[in-house]
């Protein structure tokens, strides 16, 4: 079966002002099947966000191939890439990135401004239904600054899923939340993607969040390696002991 | 909804949403544009009123555009028969050309005896036809100007100046004063209106009388006043050709007369006023709009820097570079358009309700208030929108050039 996401020997490097080259990702191979949940853990600066940006078509690899549903995405025009990004991916950010000055409904409806005619016209109704799904039916017209951190992240979740993306990319989704709230948000997130059959790629520092995924990967100095559940459990136990 | 229509509709929806959310900033940035459009439209409207006042004033003396005058004066001594012959030819000429508005005028050339309570006095008068009132935009201070019915009255009707009315103790429209006119056959005349009489000393009594009454009651001595002139109010485009034709025709009909035909109105001299309105007001307006546009541009640039994260988030939703460009551009255009609409609306409100009578100097009257200049309003709106588009280009370009990843992390 064709993988939804397939990265083959992907590397990303940038030229620094002093003339040297910084290698952020090196020879990354990653295959994610439809509906699968994978987590990538790693230290700050290990290249996690760069990997997520490449997967989400926000950035391009320096070398290597990236196939989406078996089709290479390199060579697509900027316009086509933007459309493909909007249709395929949903993003959840650590800092929520809700649009200020807009109600929860308006925030959730905002991706539908770039959708097709029917979705565009029904954007308010769809947004309200999505907010109901994340348990915020009573906060439809509330401004983001009036919501708690957990509620804001749930609005962000609703927004990321409102176009029914096939892949949800979550960059430290619980990073700005306390443990209990983070766990509750992850419950909602996992329930939503399970029901919709959405592929989920989570990037996190939190080993307990990573442990909820089907498969786990570690990114260290730009090199991606899959880790076993046992290794992850040991690492989690070690961290809790410390 | 077709895809070709969806894009623009969605872009406008997005832009309008931005304007709504950032209304305080938008309103502040638009003060310059608002004031510029408001000034431009209001000054144009005020200029049009000034032009109309000048036009009306000139029409009271020289007639409306285009007024032609034909005079025929005997080369030898003036006799009653000679004057009558000239009047007849002039009348026939006007009728032949089927001109709607025409009349015979003996402007301030006659004198008649008027028996005032203080004693008989020779008064300068002008003999006219009822059409004179319309052709010269006759503006009475009290009462009215002549109508066609006045020509069939059993006694002469008079429109007099203030000095004349004062001699009779004033003018009361409800009880119009009467006065005995001297001459071979004394007759009591009724005053129907009071107004300024041109070509006369305002401190001395002067009057208008209808040609028909002057003739019927022997108020005119053609041997002293000379033949009347013919005045015709014709379309501007026909004026030049008709002047030449009238000159030729009347001269042919009156071989022993000196005939002259010429244009008397000053309408064509208003070109300078029109030029000032066209170029002066627009010039000032454009300058003001440029200043307003710089304000919009400045605020736009600052705003894009502040909203860079938001732009990045929108890119993650699938917004194309073109869409981001047009959203920022349209935001600027939508805002300046709204400012333009508000400015024009306020201008209409001000101009429509302006207490003109309270402001105009005594004696200056505007009979036909010109309608609000729609062209100026449209120009103002278009200019405001264009300024919004120009001022929005730089911020829109900045928004597109922002790297998505950096924008999200900003």
């Amino acid at each position: 079966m064709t993988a939804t996401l397939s990265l083959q020997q992907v590397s990303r490097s940038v030229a620094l002002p002093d003339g040297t080259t910084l290698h952020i990702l090196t020879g990354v191979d990653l295959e994610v099947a439809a509906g699968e949940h994978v987590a990538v853990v790693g230290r700050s600066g290990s290249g996690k966000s760069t990997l997520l940006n490449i997967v989400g078509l926000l950035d391009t690899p320096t070398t290597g191939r990236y196939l989406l549903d078996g089709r290479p995405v390199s060579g697509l025009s900027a316009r086509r890439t933007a459309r493909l990004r909007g249709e395929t991916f949903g993003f959840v950010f650590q800092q929520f990135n809700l649009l200020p000055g807009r109600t929860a409904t308006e925030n959730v409806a905002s991706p539908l401004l770039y959708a097709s005619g029917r979705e565009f016209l029904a954007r308010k109704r769809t947004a309200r239904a999505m907010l109901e799904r994340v348990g915020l039916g009573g906060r439809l017209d509330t401004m983001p600054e009036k919501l708690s951190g957990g509620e804001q992240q749930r609005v962000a979740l609703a927004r990321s899923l409102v176009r029914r993306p096939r892949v949800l990319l979550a960059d430290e989704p619980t990073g700005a939340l306390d443990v209990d709230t983070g766990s509750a948000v992850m419950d909602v997130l996992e329930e939503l993607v399970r029901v919709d059959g959405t592929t989920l790629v989570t990037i996190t520092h939190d080993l307990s969040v990573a442990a909820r995924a089907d498969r786990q990967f570690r990114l260290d100095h730009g090199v991606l390696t899959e880790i076993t559940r046992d290794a992850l459990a040991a690492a989690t136990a070690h961290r809790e002991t410390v | 909804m077709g895809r070709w229509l969806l894009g623009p509709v969605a872009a406008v929806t997005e832009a309008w949403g931005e304007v709504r959310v950032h209304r305080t900033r938008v309103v502040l940035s638009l003060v310059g544009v608002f004031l510029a459009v408001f000034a431009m439209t209001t000054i144009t409207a005020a200029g049009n009123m000034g032009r109309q006042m000048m036009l009306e004033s000139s029409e009271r003396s020289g007639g409306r555009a285009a007024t032609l005058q034909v005079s025929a004066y005997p080369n030898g001594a003036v006799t009653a028969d000679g004057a009558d012959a000239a009047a007849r030819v002039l009348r026939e000429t006007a009728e032949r050309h089927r001109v709607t508005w025409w009349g015979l005028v003996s402007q301030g050339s006659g004198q008649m005896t008027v028996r005032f309570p203080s004693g008989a006095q020779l008064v300068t008068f002008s003999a006219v036809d009822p059409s004179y009132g319309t052709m010269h935009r006759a503006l009475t201070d009290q009462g009215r100007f002549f109508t066609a019915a006045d020509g069939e009255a059993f006694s002469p009707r008079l429109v007099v100046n203030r000095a004349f009315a004062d001699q009779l103790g004033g003018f009361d429209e409800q009880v119009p004063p009467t006065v005995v006119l001297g001459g071979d056959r004394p007759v009591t005349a009724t005053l129907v209106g009071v107004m300024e009489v041109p070509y006369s000393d305002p401190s001395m009594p002067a009057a208008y009388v209808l040609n028909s009454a002057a003739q019927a009651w022997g108020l005119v001595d053609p041997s002293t006043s000379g033949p009347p002139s013919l005045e015709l109010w014709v379309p501007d485009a026909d004026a030049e050709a008709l002047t030449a034709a009238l000159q030729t025709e009347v001269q042919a009909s009156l071989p022993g007369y000196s005939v002259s035909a010429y244009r008397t109105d000053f309408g064509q001299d208003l070109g300078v006023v029109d030029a000032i309105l066209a170029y002066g007001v627009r010039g000032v307006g454009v300058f003001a709009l440029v200043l307003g546009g710089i304000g919009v541009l400045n605020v736009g640039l600052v705003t894009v820097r502040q909203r860079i994260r938001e732009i990045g988030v929108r890119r993650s939703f699938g917004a194309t570079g073109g869409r981001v460009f047009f959203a920022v551009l349209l935001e600027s255009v939508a805002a300046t358009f709204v400012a333009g609409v508000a400015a024009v609306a306020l201008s209409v409100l001000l101009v429509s309700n302006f207490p003109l009578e309270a402001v105009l100097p005594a004696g200056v009257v505007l009979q036909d208030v010109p309608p609000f200049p729609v062209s100026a309003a449209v120009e103002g709106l278009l200019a405001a929108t264009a300024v919004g588009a120009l001022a929005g280009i730089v911020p829109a370009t900045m928004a597109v050039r922002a790297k998505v990843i950096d924008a999200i992390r900003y």
Side-chain angles (χ1 to χ4, degrees):
Chain A
M1 194 173 79
T2 305
T4 298
L5 307 173
S6 175
L7 271 68
Q8 299 169 0
Q9 286 298 299
V10 164
S11 67
R12 181 73 173 101
S13 54
V14 291
L16 297 176
D18 62 5
T20 58
T21 301
L22 173 66
H23 299 284
I24 305 169
L25 297 175
T26 309
V28 170
D29 288 311
L30 174 66
E31 295 219 338
V32 183
E36 192 179 12
H37 178 186
V38 301
V40 179
V41 295
R43 293 195 186 91
S44 294
S46 60
K48 299 190 300 294
S49 293
T50 303
L51 177 64
L52 200 74
N53 290 332
I54 288 173
V55 171
L57 301 178
L58 291 171
D59 199 0
T60 51
T62 309
T63 60
R65 295 183 77 202
Y66 174 21
L67 308 176
L68 193 60
D69 293 324
R71 283 191 290 273
V73 295
S74 62
L76 294 177
S77 67
R79 186 185 177 84
R80 180 77 193 99
T81 303
R83 285 198 193 288
L84 190 60
R85 183 192 310 134
E87 290 163 3
T88 311
F89 297 101
F91 290 84
V92 178
F93 306 100
Q94 181 178 358
Q95 296 300 329
F96 322 136
N97 284 347
L98 296 180
L99 304 177
R102 282 81 165 179
T103 63
T105 304
E106 287 169 338
N107 259 285
V108 175
S110 53
L112 296 171
L113 285 169
Y114 311 98
S116 65
R118 194 171 298 167
E119 287 178 293
F120 169 75
L121 293 174
R123 62 190 183 283
K124 288 280 173 69
R125 196 172 62 239
T126 310
R128 283 193 286 266
M130 203 65 218
L131 282 166
E132 297 276 357
R133 284 186 72 189
V134 298
L136 290 175
R139 313 301 298 268
L140 298 176
D141 298 320
T142 307
M143 292 291 177
E145 56 271 20
K146 304 271 184 183
L147 297 170
S148 68
E151 286 175 327
Q152 288 190 46
Q153 192 60 304
R154 277 193 280 160
V155 173
L157 274 182
R159 186 179 66 180
S160 68
L161 293 167
V162 75
R163 288 188 73 179
R164 297 192 175 279
R166 284 183 294 120
V167 182
L168 184 67
L169 303 175
D171 188 358
E172 303 281 8
T174 60
L177 304 173
D178 61 64
V179 174
D180 292 340
T181 308
S183 179
V185 164
M186 283 306 296
D187 288 345
V188 175
L189 172 60
E190 286 173 345
E191 174 63 13
L192 289 173
V193 297
R194 187 187 61 75
V195 170
D196 293 346
T198 310
T199 303
L200 174 61
V201 178
T202 306
I203 279 181
T204 181
H205 280 103
D206 191 336
L207 296 177
S208 62
V209 169
R212 302 171 73 129
D214 301 324
R215 286 191 294 150
Q216 292 78 25
F217 293 83
R218 179 189 301 281
L219 194 58
D220 192 15
H221 293 95
V223 178
L224 187 73
T225 50
E226 186 165 0
I227 49 178
T228 62
R229 279 197 171 273
D230 292 343
L232 183 72
T236 306
H238 173 69
R239 180 168 290 188
E240 283 171 357
T241 305
V242 171
Chain B
M1 190 183 295
R3 198 168 187 86
W4 59 273
L5 185 60
L6 176 68
V9 169
V12 170
T13 306
E14 187 179 350
W16 180 246
E18 295 300 312
V19 171
R20 191 173 53 80
V21 168
H22 301 287
R23 52 185 171 273
T24 306
R25 169 188 63 74
V26 169
V27 166
L28 286 175
S29 75
L30 292 174
V31 170
V33 173
F34 174 86
L35 290 177
V37 174
F38 175 73
M40 210 169 141
T41 46
T42 307
I43 291 170
T44 304
N48 282 1
M49 284 186 187
R51 181 191 189 281
Q52 181 68 14
M53 273 187 262
M54 289 176 69
L55 182 68
E56 289 182 9
S57 174
S58 76
E59 285 176 350
R60 282 185 197 105
S61 52
R64 300 191 190 224
T67 296
L68 310 181
Q69 191 170 69
V70 187
S71 61
Y73 210 81
N75 291 332
V78 180
T79 62
D81 288 345
D84 285 347
R88 191 178 61 254
V89 167
L90 292 173
R91 190 172 282 116
E92 287 170 357
T93 304
E95 287 169 349
R96 190 168 57 251
H97 282 277
R98 295 182 179 175
V99 176
T100 308
W101 292 98
W102 64 273
L104 295 179
V105 182
S106 297
Q107 194 76 270
S109 56
Q111 285 196 319
M112 59 184 174
T113 304
V114 179
R115 298 182 188 179
F116 289 115
S118 58
Q121 196 175 331
L122 275 175
V123 170
T124 302
F125 72 93
S126 295
V128 297
D129 284 339
S131 58
Y132 183 90
T134 301
M135 292 171 66
H136 284 264
R137 205 183 266 282
L139 182 67
T140 53
D141 298 332
Q142 286 180 282
R144 59 174 175 79
F145 198 72
F146 299 121
T147 62
D150 290 324
E152 293 161 12
F154 291 116
S155 70
R157 301 285 192 252
L158 295 178
V159 174
V160 302
N161 69 356
R162 178 61 58 193
F164 191 116
D166 288 346
Q167 291 268 9
L168 298 175
F171 179 87
D172 182 352
E173 204 170 337
Q174 302 303 318
V175 189
T178 58
V179 65
V180 176
L181 306 180
D184 295 340
R185 290 180 291 166
V187 60
T188 300
T190 305
L191 276 59
V192 296
V194 179
M195 65 179 279
E196 194 179 317
V197 177
Y199 310 110
S200 66
D201 180 353
S203 64
M204 300 297 291
Y208 281 108
V209 63
L210 283 173
N211 279 315
S212 55
Q215 202 168 19
W217 303 102
L219 303 174
V220 180
D221 178 5
S223 61
T224 56
S225 63
S229 298
L230 169 66
E231 279 190 353
L232 310 101
W233 179 20
V234 299
D236 204 37
D238 300 343
E240 198 172 337
L242 201 54
T243 305
L246 291 169
Q247 168 87 36
T248 307
E249 289 173 25
V250 174
Q251 186 65 77
S253 301
L254 297 168
Y257 288 67
S258 291
V259 176
S260 58
Y262 49 90
R263 186 169 172 172
T264 60
D265 66 275
F266 304 108
Q268 49 204 354
D269 297 332
L270 290 171
V272 177
V273 179
D274 291 337
I276 290 170
L277 277 175
Y279 299 110
V281 173
R282 279 182 184 81
V284 172
V286 166
F287 181 68
L289 271 172
V290 168
L291 292 181
I294 290 172
V296 175
L297 171 65
N298 195 20
V299 176
L301 285 172
V302 173
T303 306
V304 163
R305 282 183 210 279
Q306 289 174 345
R307 287 171 49 200
I308 210 80
R309 182 201 287 260
E310 185 182 320
I311 290 163
V313 171
R314 288 187 182 282
R315 295 299 291 268
S316 78
F317 296 159
T320 61
R323 181 64 179 274
V324 168
F325 181 89
F326 280 107
V328 175
L329 185 71
L330 274 176
E331 185 184 328
S332 178
V333 170
T336 49
F337 178 76
V338 170
V341 169
V344 168
L346 186 67
S347 180
V348 170
L349 208 64
L350 179 71
V351 171
S352 308
N353 297 290
F354 194 74
L356 208 57
E357 299 79 15
V359 176
L360 290 177
V364 178
V365 177
L366 185 61
Q367 282 179 299
D368 296 335
V369 178
F372 189 85
V374 176
S375 60
V378 172
E379 278 177 25
L381 278 181
L382 287 177
T385 309
V387 163
L390 287 173
I393 284 175
V394 178
T397 307
M398 274 181 63
V400 171
R401 286 188 176 172
K403 287 187 176 174
V404 183
I405 303 161
D406 297 340
I408 293 171
R409 292 186 161 187
Y410 186 75

